[in-house]
Amino acid sequence: MPEYEIWRDRFVRHRLSLGVWLVGLAYSSFLVLQLWNFYFDRSAFNSMWLTTQLITLMAMVVCGLLVRSRWGQRYSGLVFLFFSGTVSLIPLIQRAIANNLEPSLLVWPAIFLGQATLIPVRWRLHVVAQLIALGPYWLLDIVFDIPSKIPLANLGYLGLWVYLGWICVICNLSVYLYERLRRSEFTARRQLEIAYHRIAEEQERSEKLLLNILPHTIAKRLKEQTEYVAIADSFSHAGVLFADIVGFTALSTRISPPELVQLLNEIFSEFDRLAELHGLEKIKTIGDAYMVVSGLPETRDDFAEAIADMALDMRDALANFNQQHHLQDYPNFSMRVGIAIGPVVAGVIGLKKFIYDLWGDTVNLASRMESHGLPNAIQVTQETYNVLQDQYHLTYRGEIEIKGKGKTPTYLLLEKSPKPLSSQTSSRPSSPKNI
């Protein structure tokens, strides 16, 4: 498992760095104490012993530098073996030179147990480190026939190797079992992290899908509900826009369905971008009709201006679309837009396939403004005109018959005007004339 190998090597480097400085500190303390004893008993001083201790300390300093080097970080196992061999071999070489070998029944087990405790991974390295310590002693004793003295007289040669071998078996077995445990733990933790990451990704994807369907505040309220209750809010000031692509249904008989959907997607995607730009809430699309609202679910003072700017930008966006596709075998698309402002009720009802929808007379009026409108025109109600007349250029179209409301005056939104225009274009004439 590459991830585990990376973690294991990093773990070895950190523990090896700690071990080098701990052993170096212990060695330095031992050296100072021995020199202090020699001060009171100078006859016991041994220059070869001092040389061995100083060489060992220098080797530990080199180990400490290697651990922090780029080479040491890459080959931490070799640094571990060098460090282990430094502590075990240098005193052995000093005794071999003195022609008096003596196996250390205290230092070697302490080294093996300390390594197993401090760096309890990579048991194969521990086996090699133990062979580095015990192998040279065996060669010097058996092959080169250097005299060897066993510290305990009744231990015996066979007992010495049984003792050291059993220490090595215990250390290696503990490292092997610990490494298996850490590998299993690492694997389980890694699988949990992967599962959690996937769950988080799925949750984020679901959150994005939910926010593509419902406004943020509505989605939050739905998630906070302990049991489902229909959401319905009343807004006294809102702007509703309906838009319909003229002739798009007839085009469906001339081109393939995928091509038709691609064209509609391109147009509506630009409308979605404009809705986000103006801070409006897209409600839905029905075929080639597009519905958007301003002033909810968060109220705003400039709801009327926002919906008017949206309509003007939609008209310009469709003109740009026609210009980009003028070389293709498509007609120039036109659009009817209807706008009404007033009170609405908005919310989510039902148990499946939630949708944030609007109800009320304002919604019906906006729909009638679109369906009774003119191609390439933005038709608005009297209330909309009253709010926009000082900031936009509007012209009176005339009265149209609205089911349930009778004759209703309507206006056409032409463009945004920074200053009020003359009463000939911004006010209703005494004798209206239909366009």
Side-chain angles (χ1 to χ4, degrees):
M1 180 190 301
E3 294 88 352
Y4 174 76
E5 305 297 337
I6 293 173
W7 171 87
R8 188 185 63 182
D9 291 342
R10 185 168 60 248
F11 177 82
V12 170
R13 290 196 301 269
H14 292 166
R15 289 299 184 90
L16 187 58
S17 178
L18 176 62
V20 167
W21 297 114
L22 285 177
V23 174
L25 180 61
Y27 235 83
S28 301
S29 303
F30 173 73
L31 178 61
V32 171
L33 290 175
Q34 282 294 97
L35 292 175
W36 179 257
N37 291 332
F38 289 148
Y39 177 77
F40 294 101
D41 186 10
R42 299 187 181 183
S43 61
F45 179 75
N46 187 334
S47 59
M48 179 63 74
W49 173 87
L50 180 60
T51 302
T52 302
Q53 304 306 313
L54 293 177
I55 292 175
T56 303
L57 282 176
M58 292 176 60
M60 289 183 185
V61 172
V62 173
C63 287
L65 296 176
L66 285 176
V67 170
R68 295 182 177 274
S69 67
R70 182 176 298 178
W71 183 89
Q73 292 180 358
R74 186 175 181 181
Y75 301 104
S76 58
L78 294 180
V79 178
F80 171 79
L81 295 178
F82 179 71
F83 172 57
S84 178
T86 295
V87 179
S88 60
L89 286 183
I90 293 177
L92 182 64
I93 293 173
Q94 179 258 326
R95 292 176 179 176
I97 294 174
N99 202 34
N100 185 18
L101 288 178
E102 182 178 346
S104 179
L105 300 181
L106 177 63
V107 174
W108 285 346
I111 293 174
F112 301 155
L113 290 171
Q115 290 173 345
T117 303
L118 191 64
I119 308 176
V121 293
R122 301 190 70 172
W123 65 273
R124 293 180 178 86
L125 282 180
H126 288 263
V127 174
V128 175
Q130 292 159 7
L131 292 176
I132 290 175
L134 302 179
Y137 170 76
W138 183 83
L139 288 174
L140 292 172
D141 183 24
I142 302 300
V143 178
F144 293 95
D145 199 24
I146 297 177
S148 177
K149 175 186 176 183
I150 299 177
L152 299 177
N154 60 347
L155 182 61
Y157 193 78
L158 179 61
L160 170 67
W161 285 103
V162 170
Y163 168 74
L164 293 176
W166 182 243
I167 293 293
C168 293
V169 169
I170 292 175
C171 294
N172 293 332
L173 182 61
S174 65
V175 173
Y176 172 75
L177 294 177
Y178 182 84
E179 185 171 6
R180 285 191 60 184
L181 178 64
R182 290 308 301 263
R183 183 185 291 270
S184 300
E185 180 186 353
F186 184 89
T187 303
R189 185 170 65 250
R190 182 59 178 162
Q191 290 174 348
L192 283 176
E193 290 175 355
I194 294 174
Y196 178 80
H197 182 68
R198 288 177 178 172
I199 291 174
E201 285 184 342
E202 290 298 327
Q203 185 177 5
E204 183 180 359
R205 187 178 295 111
S206 299
E207 187 79 11
K208 289 181 179 179
L209 289 174
L210 184 62
L211 293 179
N212 272 335
I213 299 172
L214 302 174
H216 176 76
T217 55
I218 302 301
K220 183 178 179 182
R221 287 168 62 181
L222 278 175
K223 289 190 295 183
E224 290 176 350
Q225 288 182 358
T226 56
E227 59 181 65
Y228 175 72
V229 178
I231 294 177
D233 300 310
S234 177
F235 298 89
S236 57
H237 299 89
V240 183
L241 180 151
F242 279 90
D244 184 76
I245 309 298
V246 179
F248 204 86
T249 303
L251 181 64
S252 63
T253 61
R254 297 169 43 195
I255 63 176
S256 65
E259 191 175 5
L260 178 73
V261 172
Q262 177 60 32
L263 287 174
L264 194 60
N265 179 68
E266 186 176 345
I267 296 173
F268 282 0
S269 294
E270 180 62 19
F271 290 173
D272 290 344
R273 188 190 67 82
L274 292 175
E276 184 175 1
L277 177 66
H278 292 290
L280 307 185
E281 190 65 39
K282 173 186 174 181
I283 301 301
K284 57 187 172 183
T285 60
I286 305 174
D288 56 355
Y290 190 90
M291 180 182 180
V292 68
V293 63
S294 67
L296 56 91
E298 287 84 19
T299 59
R300 55 189 293 181
D301 295 333
D302 62 340
F303 70 95
E305 292 84 353
I307 203 71
D309 291 339
M310 175 70 179
L312 294 173
D313 287 347
M314 289 171 67
R315 183 185 63 186
D316 295 340
L318 189 60
N320 291 334
F321 175 85
N322 288 330
Q323 186 176 4
Q324 293 173 5
H325 294 271
H326 72 282
L327 296 179
Q328 302 177 10
D329 189 22
Y330 301 134
N332 282 335
F333 295 109
S334 58
M335 180 174 59
R336 293 191 305 268
V337 179
I339 296 177
I341 64 173
V344 298
V345 174
V348 178
I349 59 174
L351 298 176
K352 295 183 178 180
K353 296 183 179 180
F354 292 136
I355 183 173
Y356 188 65
D357 210 346
L358 303 181
W359 302 272
D361 191 52
T362 303
V363 179
N364 297 331
L365 275 176
S367 177
R368 296 295 187 273
M369 290 297 105
E370 177 274 314
S371 61
H372 292 75
L374 301 173
N376 290 324
I378 305 169
Q379 186 165 250
V380 304
T381 61
Q382 177 72 54
E383 293 76 8
T384 308
Y385 166 79
N386 294 337
V387 175
L388 299 178
Q389 59 178 327
D390 293 333
Q391 302 179 49
Y392 294 83
H393 184 189
L394 299 100
T395 185
Y396 179 70
R397 180 192 175 188
E399 293 182 343
I400 61 174
E401 184 70 29
I402 301 295
K403 182 180 180 180
K405 299 188 71 71
K407 295 288 186 179
T408 303
T410 60
Y411 297 80
L412 300 180
L413 173 64
L414 303 180
E415 60 183 355
K416 192 166 187 175
S417 176
K419 296 180 181 180
L421 301 178
S422 63
S423 59
Q424 294 179 357
T425 58
S426 62
S427 61
R428 178 178 175 177
S430 55
S431 300
K433 181 179 179 181
N434 291 339
I435 294 178

